[in-house]
Amino acid sequence: CTPADITALEKLESAMNQGLKLPIPDFVQLDLQFHLKIADASQNPVLAQLLRTIRGLLQEWIVRSQSMARARDAARRGHIDILAAFHNRDPIAARAAMKAHLEESYALMRQASL
């Protein structure tokens, strides 16, 4: 990803951090934008198109996970870890951070569904 991509991701993460008390729909939009920006930054058109195609599903996933009290903090921590890997230009760490972030979000969503 480019320095401009990292800056855009940092702005989204900062807005999410400052908006930890935002209404769920507003927070969800920031979270969704963060993930779509990562897909665009990957410069992989297949990944970017895939995320746009499943945008509604991704949004629903985020909404469901947000019903859990610790979900926003978990999202924030995950995004910080992903950004750190981007800053370090470490694709292995970025992949591991994204995997951990998605797994934690999935676990929260499953708990919310019970």
Side-chain angles (χ1 to χ4, degrees):
C1 62
T2 67
D5 292 329
I6 292 173
T7 298
L9 288 166
E10 288 172 334
K11 287 180 181 177
L12 287 167
E13 193 284 320
S14 178
M16 288 175 63
N17 186 40
Q18 293 174 11
L20 288 175
K21 303 280 187 205
L22 284 171
I24 288 176
D26 296 339
F27 188 86
V28 167
Q29 286 308 307
L30 290 170
D31 198 350
L32 182 61
Q33 288 175 31
F34 186 88
H35 287 270
L36 293 173
K37 181 61 185 168
I38 288 174
D40 288 339
S42 74
Q43 299 179 20
N44 179 336
V46 174
L47 177 62
Q49 183 58 45
L50 175 65
L51 256 62
R52 282 188 218 3
T53 300
I54 64 165
R55 179 186 183 124
L57 179 61
L58 181 58
Q59 185 171 341
E60 181 62 26
W61 183 339
I62 296 168
V63 167
R64 284 188 188 186
S65 71
Q66 286 302 303
S67 68
M68 301 297 290
R70 65 181 198 263
R72 288 188 187 194
D73 189 50
R76 184 175 161 272
R77 282 190 324 272
H79 292 175
I80 288 170
D81 291 346
I82 293 163
L83 276 170
F86 283 12
H87 275 289
N88 294 329
R89 300 281 188 209
D90 186 342
I92 294 170
R95 186 177 299 117
M98 180 58 80
K99 182 177 186 238
H101 175 57
L102 293 175
E103 286 173 347
E104 185 171 21
S105 296
Y106 179 69
L108 288 169
M109 182 190 68
R110 288 192 40 89
Q111 288 175 12
S113 297
L114 297 178

